[in-house]
Amino acid sequence: MSERRPHDNSPRNGGPRGDRSRGDRPRTDRPREGRRDDRPAEPLVQPARRVALDVIAAVSDSDAYANLLLPTRIARARLSPADAALATELTYGTLRMQGYYDRVIADAAGRPVDRIDPPILDVLRLGAHQLLSTRIPSHAAVNESVAQARLVGSRSATGFANGVLREIGRHTPEEWRERVAAGARNEDDRLAALTSHPTWVIRAFRRSLAAEGRGDELEALLDADNAAPRVNLVALPGLAEPPAGARPDRFSPVGFTGDGGDPLGLVESSKGRLRVQDEGSQLAALALTRARPVRSGERWLDLCAGPGGKAALLAAEALAGGAELVANELVPARAELVRKALAAVPLDVPVWEEDGTAIGDEHPEAFDRILLDAPCTGLGALRRRPEARWRKEPKDVAELSALQNRLIDSAIDALAPGGLLAYVTCSPHIAETRSVVAGALDRHPELEAVGTAAVVQGLAQEPLDLAGDPEVVQLWPHRQLTDAMFIALLAKRAQ
Ligand SMILES: C[S@@+](CC[C@H](N)C(=O)[O-])C[C@H]1O[C@@H](n2cnc3c(N)ncnc32)[C@H](O)[C@@H]1O
């Protein structure tokens, strides 16, 4: 690790520069080697904060996924349930609001965040979250953050972090919101800053809501993206019942929320017949299986099945209706996850590992119902993938919509006359939703739109507040408390 020249640490007069590569940063949960003798003894950091910083650092260092890494780090650190909950809140909250905290930090430090050492910036983000968005007392937030800075940075960096955090703590959260808003360049920049979303994402959401005549819901949507999602489960129909004490979902007839206990314990003890699944995903799968009665012997295809959440629900529905199901997933590791998910259902479901864009040529007119849950930007699931908003770019939309167009053409070719296709995304971006469906209807005169809104209303327990074109359904986190799933049912005319 490079030594630093001693200099004034006050945030506004410099402090350490970003002159250390991330590759040589010490881990926060191990004693550092080669510590200088004049350093104080290794400070003790509360375990939940140590795990949170570890995950935040892995997300910014090596593109880790917080939702995958956090559970393993919690298990490895043997955190108590209370500490695990705190580590989760700190990690997710910091990553979600990173865009906002960076503006606060830049103001308090008197310099842009790209001129702050990355490991120290992560400590500051976690500290800013505790100071501005939790009830953790300021002195605890500052002291623990300074201890963490000492573990990842030099003495001068620690002094710098201390100065920045104290400056943040000098103002109330409301005062910071006003300061950040006052520094915005325009209205979109103000929304981007305060709700911690990239501007291009805000504009895409505005267009999608406006297409439904609900442009005035934009701020509610952006706020909903920053709230922790509830853990929702499905009881595979015919194979499991929700446990006593569970609360039935408002819309999905097979969904429920738990009684506050450990959902993973429920999943394990039910052998996967009770599973964690967003209510929107359940409605998407059921829209395909329940849009019309199932004839025994129907052949169904899940074209892009990994990791298999909807495939398990489709399999349970196929079993109940006497249909056959094939699942397909291009990526072998994800196909393996599909096999695991399907093990919960006593139905023989072949799992293919083919390129879905070729299946229409290879198996023309072979399937009566097809689910195309297309690879997408995931902009509708920002609540549960807190770092995703910072990883996506507009060019991803262009690449994905080109793939979505090829997949939907292939699915239409694989659909038998009279068959039904559900085109689904967990993104509300128009280029991935309505445009793909409109293009498919233009290119395929044999295809017709089905009133998807009526189908989904018909299977839901309570009426849903759906807006816009009744041929498609767009769910929203702020309205239905689901991911922003898009569902379009399309039928191939019988010959
Ligand atoms: C949105 S996910 C599907 C989620 C799944 N339906 C579920 O509920 O668990 C899209 C999947 O499509 C897969 N995929 C991407 N390109 C594909 C292709 N050309 N053919 C088949 N699958 C593909 C991805 O690997 C990913 O697992």
Side-chain angles (χ1 to χ4, degrees), residues 425-446:
T425 61
C426 64
S427 166
H429 196 299
I430 285 181
E432 301 183 84
T433 56
R434 291 162 198 276
S435 301
V436 173
V437 171
L441 284 165
D442 272 355
R443 290 190 300 278
H444 297 271
E446 73 277 25

Side-chain angles (χ1 to χ4, degrees), residues 275 277 281 285 302-312 314 328-332 334-335 338 341 352-359 371-376 378 385 400 403 406-407 424-426 485:
R275 325 176 52 80
Q277 187 170 54
S281 292
D302 186 353
L303 187 63
C304 297
K310 293 184 197 71
L314 292 183
N328 178 68
E329 166 57 47
L330 178 67
V331 179
R334 291 175 73 80
V338 177
W352 298 347
E353 296 180 10
E354 293 188 20
D355 182 345
T357 61
I359 280 188
L371 173 65
L372 169 49
D373 186 13
C376 70
R385 296 180 207 137
L400 283 161
L403 175 60
R406 285 189 287 132
L407 284 165
V424 173
T425 61
C426 64
M485 302 292 300

